[in-house]
Amino acid sequence: MALSARNQLQGTVRSVKLGTIMAEVVVDVGGNEIVSAVTRGSAERLGLSEGSAVTVVIKATDVML
């Protein structure tokens, strides 16, 4: 899938914690940790699990430091 977003980082899923509604996904990107909150349904549809290769796409208006 082609995306115009410039903030794309390749990484590996370190952990996935499934909640009732949401999931917390921790991704290792070059030794740095990025934590994302996604819906549980999305995590399941994407088949996210420890060791999965993923592309992190960051929407600049939604970054929290």
Side-chain angles (χ1 to χ4, degrees), residues 1-31:
M1 168 186 356
L3 297 174
S4 63
R6 294 182 185 141
N7 302 317
Q8 297 183 40
L9 306 168
Q10 303 302 311
T12 304
V13 175
R14 187 178 291 171
S15 66
V16 178
K17 295 179 187 173
L18 297 175
T20 306
I21 304 293
M22 300 296 290
E24 178 186 89
V25 182
V26 180
V27 179
D28 180 281
V29 176

Side-chain angles (χ1 to χ4, degrees), residues 17-59:
K17 295 179 187 173
L18 297 175
T20 306
I21 304 293
M22 300 296 290
E24 178 186 89
V25 182
V26 180
V27 179
D28 180 281
V29 176
N32 296 297
E33 190 176 272
I34 295 179
V35 181
S36 177
V38 299
T39 64
R40 179 184 177 123
S42 291
E44 291 173 341
R45 276 191 299 279
L46 290 168
L48 297 178
S49 62
E50 187 175 333
S52 296
V54 295
T55 301
V56 177
V57 179
I58 300 170
K59 184 175 180 182

